[in-house]
Amino acid sequence: MEAIAQPSTTFRLTPRPYQYEAVAALLAATARGVQRPLLVLPTGTGKTIVFALLVQRRRGRSLILAHRDELLQQAVAKLHLVDPSLELGVVQATRDEHTAPTVVASVQTLSRRTRLARLVPDFQTIVIDEAHHAPAPTYRRILEYCRAWHPDGPLIVGVTATPARGDH
């Protein structure tokens, strides 16, 4: 798969077989009616590539939630690497590109009531990067607003390397 990282630089991205298998497993789970699967892969194995491939294959709008600037930047970079034609918006600090087909958002920014109220909750896919943080009130506010627990709600994919943490 050919992708443009910078206007003058061309990369060749070839996902690893286990990354394709992870996407296939997520899509198969969705076809079986699983609404909130959890993807667990070790650090450094390309979880961001997996969810970028998933977003590329799913129809409708997507929302990617992360709690650190580094994760937001990584998500934007990998999404563009997987699909340079993907229209991305960022919601973080002064950026408020919440109408894009794919939105990468800072949980701290989006969970503010004024920011959340501007967001149209019509997402087909929501990805929670570092999903072990999802029980926090900021994540829950966003997920409730986006109808995560409704029977006809979006697919919610948690992504983490540490599903069971010693610090609870």
Side-chain angles (χ1 to χ4, degrees), residues 35-36 58 123-124 146-156:
Q35 292 277 115
R36 292 175 288 284
R58 299 254 315 154
F123 298 100
Q124 295 299 310
C146 291
R147 307 172 17 161
W149 290 278
H150 287 232
D152 63 341
L155 172 67
I156 310 294

Side-chain angles (χ1 to χ4, degrees), residues 1 14-15 18 77 105:
M1 177 183 314
T14 305
Y18 68 83

Side-chain angles (χ1 to χ4, degrees), residues 48 51 63-80 88-93 95 103-110 127 129-130 139:
T48 310
F51 75 66
L63 173 64
I64 290 89
L65 299 171
H67 70 287
R68 290 192 345 245
D69 182 58
E70 167 192 338
L71 296 173
L72 294 168
Q73 290 178 25
Q74 180 179 345
V76 168
K78 300 301 184 196
L79 285 158
H80 274 141
L88 296 178
V90 175
V91 175
Q92 179 188 30
R95 294 181 71 179
V103 177
V104 179
S106 158
V107 171
Q108 294 87 340
T109 300
L110 188 58
V127 175
D129 200 358
E130 302 287 336
Y139 283 84

Side-chain angles (χ1 to χ4, degrees), residues 61 63 98 103 110 115-121 123 145-146:
R61 291 182 74 209
L63 173 64
H98 61 273
V103 177
L110 188 58
R115 289 290 189 105
L116 198 52
R118 290 195 293 262
L119 186 73
V120 176
F123 298 100
Y145 181 81
C146 291

Side-chain angles (χ1 to χ4, degrees), residues 2-157:
E2 193 169 326
I4 307 285
Q6 305 252 340
S8 62
T9 306
T10 300
F11 277 97
R12 183 127 191 100
L13 173 68
T14 305
R16 300 188 182 278
Y18 68 83
Q19 292 170 322
Y20 282 125
E21 289 170 15
V23 173
L26 290 168
L27 293 172
T30 302
R32 290 190 314 272
V34 176
Q35 292 277 115
R36 292 175 288 284
L38 179 65
L39 172 67
V40 179
L41 288 172
T43 301
T45 57
K47 291 178 289 294
T48 310
I49 293 293
V50 172
F51 75 66
L53 290 165
L54 178 69
V55 164
Q56 179 190 44
R57 283 161 177 74
R58 299 254 315 154
R59 299 216 184 271
R61 291 182 74 209
S62 296
L63 173 64
I64 290 89
L65 299 171
H67 70 287
R68 290 192 345 245
D69 182 58
E70 167 192 338
L71 296 173
L72 294 168
Q73 290 178 25
Q74 180 179 345
V76 168
K78 300 301 184 196
L79 285 158
H80 274 141
L81 189 60
V82 166
D83 187 349
S85 69
L86 209 60
E87 294 181 52
L88 296 178
V90 175
V91 175
Q92 179 188 30
T94 60
R95 294 181 71 179
D96 196 20
E97 302 151 4
H98 61 273
T99 60
T102 299
V103 177
V104 179
S106 158
V107 171
Q108 294 87 340
T109 300
L110 188 58
S111 68
R112 293 184 192 137
R113 296 196 194 290
T114 54
R115 289 290 189 105
L116 198 52
R118 290 195 293 262
L119 186 73
V120 176
D122 61 349
F123 298 100
Q124 295 299 310
T125 306
I126 298 176
V127 175
I128 304 171
D129 200 358
E130 302 287 336
H132 51 274
H133 293 286
T138 50
Y139 283 84
R140 293 186 64 82
R141 184 177 306 122
I142 296 166
L143 293 171
E144 286 170 11
Y145 181 81
C146 291
R147 307 172 17 161
W149 290 278
H150 287 232
D152 63 341
L155 172 67
I156 310 294
V157 179

